[in-house]
Amino acid sequence: MNKLKPKIFNSIEYLQQLDWSEITNHNRFEALCKAYLETLTEEKNNQIDSVEASAPAEGADGGQDLIVTFGMSDGLSQFARKWVVQCKFESRSVGKSKMQSVNIPALIHQYGAVGYLLICKTLPTTQLEHHFEDLKKNCRFEYKYEIWTGDDFLSRILEKENIVKLYFPKYYAYIQLIETLTKGIIHE
């Protein structure tokens, strides 16, 4: 994965596109995932009233980084829906071997969740995608199994200006620069 080199304009360093080079470690990536999930209450196309995302106890995560509880409403009553979320900040594709020690259905059951979301910085291998497809197809409890690739996640992030501003400041500087230049051209 090629890192983009920042450019400079009027001593402001910027990037012309959203790029993972601004997220420097797993903790920052996990914080980004948490922050993004917490913004889902702002979307009009869902029934999410609240989001609580918390990390399990310290130590080896055992296949989960976040337990996310969505407070929901269907117009008749309020209820909660939990997801186990794994954040993989890998520079290479995430393979099934990275998930080998995790019994995903047991983990979902342990937390009383409805599903498991794997958020990757890069791509899952075809073998891991097939594994998730098999889990979906053969799960007698009808748990949900989802994978967001790095590109999937970046496209979701692009829609959240506050997330971009906080986690991708060099790209946000570019957006601000373009807006400022555009306003100057339009007003002239």
Side-chain angles (χ1 to χ4, degrees):
M1 180 173 265
N2 294 337
K3 282 189 174 183
L4 292 175
K5 294 194 186 229
K7 298 181 179 191
I8 297 175
F9 178 82
N10 275 357
S11 73
I12 298 171
E13 194 174 36
Y14 69 91
L15 288 171
Q16 290 180 296
Q17 70 183 51
L18 214 53
D19 185 71
W20 288 121
S21 64
E22 293 197 66
I23 307 298
T24 56
N25 60 50
H26 180 271
N27 290 336
R28 186 80 173 150
F29 184 68
E30 187 176 316
L32 168 64
C33 294
K34 180 179 185 285
Y36 173 81
L37 291 166
E38 289 172 342
T39 68
L40 294 179
T41 58
E42 301 165 4
E43 293 185 7
K44 291 177 175 48
N45 65 345
N46 64 41
Q47 301 157 333
I48 300 172
D49 297 325
S50 64
V51 178
E52 181 182 316
S54 58
E58 282 295 315
D61 65 19
Q64 79 280 351
D65 288 311
L66 299 169
I67 305 303
V68 181
T69 304
F70 295 102
M72 313 281 291
S73 174
D74 62 8
L76 298 174
S77 66
Q78 293 189 332
F79 55 96
R81 188 174 278 169
K82 274 188 193 175
W83 280 78
V84 176
V85 179
Q86 175 73 49
C87 312
K88 286 289 187 193
F89 186 74
E90 306 287 331
S91 51
R92 294 192 173 126
S93 294
V94 178
K96 190 176 175 187
S97 63
K98 288 275 184 190
M99 308 291 293
Q100 207 70 15
S101 64
V102 180
N103 181 334
I104 297 174
L107 199 57
I108 295 170
H109 181 77
Q110 174 187 344
Y111 286 101
V114 297
Y116 187 92
L117 171 61
L118 174 63
I119 304 176
C120 304
K121 173 186 165 191
T122 55
L123 294 169
T125 62
T126 302
Q127 187 181 23
L128 182 59
E129 286 179 324
H130 289 310
H131 178 60
F132 269 64
E133 288 168 16
D134 288 344
L135 286 169
K136 284 179 190 178
K137 188 170 39 175
N138 300 318
C139 183
R140 66 178 183 216
F141 300 111
E142 298 183 12
Y143 293 145
K144 309 293 182 214
Y145 302 89
E146 299 294 331
I147 299 174
W148 289 356
T149 67
D151 286 344
D152 293 337
F153 192 33
L154 285 176
S155 68
R156 291 170 186 267
I157 291 167
L158 268 172
E159 298 173 10
K160 309 287 184 179
E161 184 177 350
N162 289 341
I163 299 293
V164 172
K165 182 178 181 179
L166 184 61
Y167 289 91
F168 298 90
K170 291 176 185 166
Y171 177 69
Y172 187 75
Y174 174 70
I175 293 170
Q176 296 304 113
L177 176 63
I178 295 301
E179 285 179 7
T180 301
L181 291 174
T182 304
K183 285 178 187 172
I185 292 169
I186 292 172
H187 293 299
E188 288 181 0

